[in-house]
Amino acid sequence: VLYNGKPVGELEFILEKANESVWHVKTETRATSFLAKTLGSEVTEASHFYWQKEAGRDQLIPLTYHHVSREPLRTRFWQHRYDWDNELTQTLTHEGEQTIEIRPDILDPLTLRLQLAADLARLEAMDSLPMEDQHYWVLDRDDVESQRIEPRGAETIEVPAGCFDALKFYRFRKDGSTRNYDLWVSQALAWLPVQMVFQEDNREIRFELVSSDLIQETPQCLSPETN
């Protein structure tokens, strides 16, 4: 994790099976620099979900989601348990309890990246890349929103984990949101992000891939002479 180009933390992304049908995905962001440890926050996100075939598409069905943000003087959290029989969530936040009506194709900010990866893999198999704008319904904190993934073309991108042929996208939540971001995904990483960039005014937060169990050999950039 880099803040205006300076390393301040690291993020770990874990995807594993919880049992025969349910998957667990989790991210943990930790501060590593002294200043970040003093002023920054630690963030944990996690979801349980399963996959369902829907009209030939692998559709992710969330079961739980929680987000915890710990800062020096406060802790904020959101926790959703999905009740699919009644199409609502039982939601607990640092501000209290509530129920939220949901749609059959709802996602959360974490599983959105997995659904995008699955959709890209399907389009790749159909030889239909690049894709057009994709719209997803996302339960973001305590509101259901229509969010958009906009393709921005193909790029070769170099990060600490290596050099990747990537597709660039822009995740648009809403105008002025600090959680709009650019992301670069690669087939070499099962269409998961190799880089993400959040920008606001003169501030940039960049996530770059350092290592992954999915990578057997470090991808290398071709030299100009090779090209």
Side-chain angles (χ1 to χ4, degrees):
V1 184
L2 300 99
Y3 181 89
N4 287 346
K6 296 181 179 180
V8 294
E10 56 187 28
L11 180 147
E12 185 176 25
F13 178 97
I14 300 170
L15 176 62
E16 59 190 359
K17 269 197 164 184
N19 56 43
E20 285 301 310
S21 58
V22 176
W23 288 80
H24 180 230
V25 60
K26 180 179 180 180
T27 65
E28 288 187 313
T29 307
R30 297 178 292 272
T32 54
S33 73
F34 174 77
L35 183 61
K37 287 179 179 178
T38 303
L39 301 176
S41 64
E42 296 186 354
V43 179
T44 299
E45 278 187 287
S47 296
H48 286 89
F49 66 92
Y50 66 93
W51 292 102
Q52 177 174 288
K53 279 288 186 182
E54 191 71 36
R57 175 178 184 247
D58 288 322
Q59 174 68 43
L60 189 152
I61 309 297
L63 299 172
T64 67
Y65 170 77
H66 82 259
H67 176 119
V68 181
S69 175
R70 297 180 180 88
E71 301 175 7
L73 298 178
R74 66 173 178 174
T75 295
R76 297 184 299 164
F77 67 92
W78 300 265
Q79 178 177 297
H80 306 298
R81 291 188 178 275
Y82 294 79
D83 178 351
W84 286 109
D85 290 334
N86 297 299
E87 295 190 343
L88 54 82
T89 68
Q90 301 294 334
T91 295
L92 177 64
T93 78
H94 55 280
E95 296 179 336
E97 299 182 22
Q98 65 184 116
T99 59
I100 301 172
E101 293 184 3
I102 55 176
R103 300 165 47 96
D105 52 355
I106 199 75
L107 300 166
D108 56 59
L110 185 55
T111 53
L112 170 64
R113 298 171 203 161
L114 295 175
Q115 186 65 64
L116 174 63
D119 290 343
L120 286 169
R122 176 172 176 264
L123 290 172
E124 179 192 18
M126 297 169 59
D127 198 24
S128 297
L129 290 174
M131 68 188 222
E132 301 177 344
D133 286 3
Q134 299 293 302
H135 297 264
Y136 297 94
W137 288 99
V138 179
L139 177 54
D140 204 310
R141 296 189 177 178
D142 59 355
D143 192 23
V144 176
E145 304 173 350
S146 176
Q147 298 185 5
R148 186 169 68 246
I149 302 291
E150 304 172 0
R152 297 290 175 90
E155 293 185 11
T156 298
I157 183 169
E158 189 167 10
V159 294
C163 193
F164 294 84
D165 293 326
L167 295 180
K168 181 180 179 182
F169 294 92
Y170 180 65
R171 181 258 202 170
F172 178 79
R173 178 176 171 253
K174 62 182 180 181
D175 288 328
S177 173
T178 58
R179 286 177 285 139
N180 298 335
Y181 58 80
D182 293 301
L183 71 157
W184 289 256
V185 301
S186 176
Q187 188 274 339
L189 197 71
W191 296 114
L192 292 169
V194 297
Q195 180 173 267
M196 299 170 57
V197 176
F198 298 74
Q199 291 183 319
E200 180 188 15
D201 300 327
N202 61 348
R203 180 182 70 167
E204 178 188 272
I205 300 175
R206 180 183 300 267
F207 296 82
E208 295 180 344
L209 182 69
V210 174
S211 64
S212 172
D213 292 343
L214 296 177
I215 301 173
Q216 303 304 314
E217 296 183 5
T218 302
Q220 301 294 323
C221 289
L222 296 176
S223 65
E225 292 78 10
T226 304
N227 285 328

